[in-house]
Amino acid sequence: MIDDDGYFGESVAATYDESSAAMFAPETVEPAVDVLAELAGEGRALELGVGTGRIALPLARRGVGVHGIELSRAMADRLRAKPGGEAIGVTIGDFSTARAPGTFSVGYLVFNTIMNLTTQDAQVDCFRTVAGHLEPGGTFVVEVMVPELRKLPPGQNTVPFHVGTDRLGFDTYDVATQAMASHHVKVTEDGEGSFRSIPFRYVWPAELDLMARLAGMRLRDRWEDWGRRPFTADSPKHVSVWEKPAD
């Protein structure tokens, strides 16, 4: 059942940090924070889908003012309960349309969160919303996977991403609509099982560039990762930076 928190209600929020532990590792977090702190400069940062504060909290510790937009009250409550969380303002709402107070030097979406918007219209709205928050010369940063369609032979629509003795994860793709879903199966020691499925919409780099142009922004940089390695045809994801004109 989907509640007012979408797919990230209390049952997910309670174990989110532990289930995504690898994404909280310093070697994963710090390069992202380095880039975002540089782009923020003396200004403020807006995180869309701020979650439990994986990026927002260490960015704030760098002296950057951070405000988040988050649909899930349960996730936002986890953020506020952490040391330093009370200093990060949170607007509860859909980040494709919600308005946060003030303006910002940088807006950002990390860890494939742009794909939580499951229609192209919503993704376009997100770019326009961020552009409306940015100061002249401000930037919008998105970290997102490159769709793994090359792993799909004709007639197959499923790609496993984790196969273990107690957990199974796989993605399903609809190449006609760009709809996809991540499915998670867990089995406990006593044989009890659980299943969770989350819908997404995958999106191509060139498609994102067009969304940015519709919002009045232009591509400034694109890398394979936060370490700024070159983006190539074999890159599994990209970190892209679009800029709002300074004038």
Side-chain angles (χ1 to χ4, degrees):
M1 180 180 294
I2 305 172
D3 58 23
D4 291 340
D5 284 354
Y7 291 89
F8 295 89
E10 180 56 38
S11 63
V12 174
T15 60
Y16 180 79
D17 290 13
E18 293 77 12
S19 64
S20 303
M23 296 303 297
F24 284 79
E27 61 268 23
T28 300
V29 171
E30 290 174 5
V33 173
D34 287 342
V35 171
L36 295 170
E38 177 184 321
L39 292 171
E42 299 299 317
R44 302 167 66 220
L46 176 67
E47 179 168 357
L48 286 75
V50 68
T52 64
R54 181 179 71 93
I55 299 297
L57 287 168
L59 184 58
R61 288 194 289 269
R62 296 281 188 94
V64 177
V66 183
H67 189 95
I69 298 177
E70 176 58 53
L71 180 63
S72 170
R73 294 181 184 274
M75 297 286 275
D77 288 345
R78 297 279 167 173
L79 164 60
R80 294 188 183 105
K82 294 179 178 180
E86 71 284 350
I88 297 174
V90 179
T91 296
I92 300 296
D94 181 341
F95 64 72
S96 68
T97 55
R99 179 73 204 193
T103 58
F104 301 85
S105 295
V106 62
Y108 62 95
L109 271 166
V110 297
F111 197 15
N112 299 324
T113 305
I114 184 69
M115 300 197 313
N116 287 108
L117 302 175
T118 56
T119 68
Q120 187 181 67
D121 284 345
Q123 292 171 347
V124 169
D125 287 343
C126 175
F127 273 77
R128 287 175 170 154
T129 294
V130 172
H133 283 91
L134 291 178
E135 299 167 356
T139 54
F140 181 32
V141 186
V142 172
E143 175 194 27
V144 65
M145 62 174 280
V146 176
E148 297 184 301
L149 300 191
R150 287 186 293 181
K151 293 183 178 180
L152 293 175
Q156 180 177 318
N157 70 344
T158 303
V159 176
F161 58 82
H162 181 88
V163 178
T165 57
D166 61 349
R167 184 166 69 90
L168 172 66
F170 57 96
D171 291 328
T172 54
Y173 293 84
D174 183 337
V175 298
T177 64
Q178 292 182 218
M180 64 175 291
S182 288
H183 310 278
H184 305 262
V185 179
K186 292 184 179 180
V187 180
T188 62
E189 291 183 357
D190 58 7
E192 295 295 323
S194 66
F195 174 76
R196 183 166 66 99
S197 182
I198 305 174
F200 299 104
R201 180 185 187 271
Y202 68 80
V203 61
W204 299 102
E207 189 180 7
L208 291 169
D209 291 343
L210 182 56
M211 293 179 187
R213 290 186 64 181
L214 291 172
M217 297 183 287
R218 296 282 180 156
L219 182 68
R220 194 176 93 176
D221 292 294
R222 173 165 290 137
W223 311 299
E224 178 175 299
D225 54 26
W226 295 103
R228 309 190 198 208
R229 288 189 292 185
F231 178 72
T232 72
D234 294 319
S235 297
K237 71 172 187 177
H238 61 99
V239 175
S240 296
V241 183
W242 297 275
E243 188 173 49
K244 183 176 180 177
D247 56 0

